[in-house]
Amino acid sequence: MATATSIATADTWLNGAAASQATNYSTDATAFAGWVSGGGGGAKRPLLYFPIAGILPVNSTSILLGLYITSAPVVAGSLGCYQYDEVYNGQIVAAQATWLNYATAAPWGAPGGDYSPTPTKAFTGPTSANENTIFSIDVSDVVLPAAAAAWDGIWLTLRNAAESGATKQFSFATLEGANPFPTLTATYPSTDTARPTVGGAAKHRVIAY
């Protein structure tokens, strides 16, 4: 078996806190995922774009999302990974996206982002023991169908399963920081043509993403 890696070319995070829903966070060095309780809290959902076409083979057998964890709770939370339908490729603008809009004056159908409810991948989030390391999430169920269909790329989000109760939030390095960038790493039969690692530094050349 061989591997191929796609590095995110755009990222931000959406803040469900009432006072912050119109704020864009695309220049932050870290993104947040999970839930913060209390009056000033709310859901935190990252927004990540990865190129697929020509990078992740259509016959990939598994795909892992890699995030460099900068902070995490002592007790892990339960989360899910979701994709945005292909129609959003070329529509979401990370530098403008907020909890309310996917681009300037372009509101989501539902605040917080119109991610598809299926396919989804449930996972247990990182804990403080994972800080300053790469945390891998098996997102095969979410990304493999898009790779097999030869999508140009895919937008992903992570959300707390309940988005209620006690605070369960973690943060990870983005393209704006110096730490390792978010990645998708595919495993595929080694008889297939090898793919390069692509993304990251090219992020500023992505016009609509």
Side-chain angles (χ1 to χ4, degrees), residues 91-93 96-98 100-108:
Q91 302 299 315
I92 296 174
V93 181
Q96 301 170 6
T98 69
L100 304 175
N101 297 328
Y102 60 85
T104 300
W108 298 106

Side-chain angles (χ1 to χ4, degrees), residues 27 31 42 54 57 62 77 85 87 89 91 96 98 100 109 130 139 159 169 180 187 190:
T27 60
S62 68
D85 289 336
V87 67
N89 287 349
Q91 302 299 315
Q96 301 170 6
T98 69
L100 304 175
N130 301 113
V139 294
R159 59 157 288 174
Q169 171 184 267
T187 299
S190 57

Side-chain angles (χ1 to χ4, degrees), residues 24-179:
N24 175 265
Y25 296 94
S26 61
T27 60
D28 284 10
T30 56
F32 292 86
W35 169 260
V36 176
S37 63
K44 319 295 180 184
R45 301 176 186 171
L47 196 56
L48 305 168
Y49 180 81
F50 296 92
I52 291 179
I55 305 170
L56 303 185
V58 297
N59 64 338
S60 297
T61 56
S62 68
I63 299 179
L64 298 179
L65 171 63
L67 302 174
Y68 184 85
I69 304 302
T70 55
S71 66
V74 174
V75 179
S78 298
L79 298 97
C81 177
Y82 301 85
Q83 58 142 315
Y84 285 78
D85 289 336
E86 189 179 18
V87 67
Y88 275 110
N89 287 349
Q91 302 299 315
I92 296 174
V93 181
Q96 301 170 6
T98 69
W99 184 264
L100 304 175
N101 297 328
Y102 60 85
T104 300
W108 298 106
D114 302 327
Y115 58 86
S116 178
T118 57
T120 184
K121 174 62 177 181
F123 68 96
T124 299
T127 68
S128 54
N130 301 113
E131 291 178 356
N132 303 313
T133 65
I134 301 293
F135 183 75
S136 295
I137 304 164
D138 186 341
V139 294
S140 303
D141 292 347
V142 179
V143 182
L144 280 176
W151 286 18
D152 287 340
I154 189 169
W155 284 98
L156 298 177
T157 192
L158 310 174
R159 59 157 288 174
N160 179 272
E163 293 192 332
S164 64
T167 294
K168 292 290 178 65
Q169 171 184 267
F170 70 90
S171 64
F172 58 89
T174 71
L175 295 171
E176 304 302 322
N179 290 309

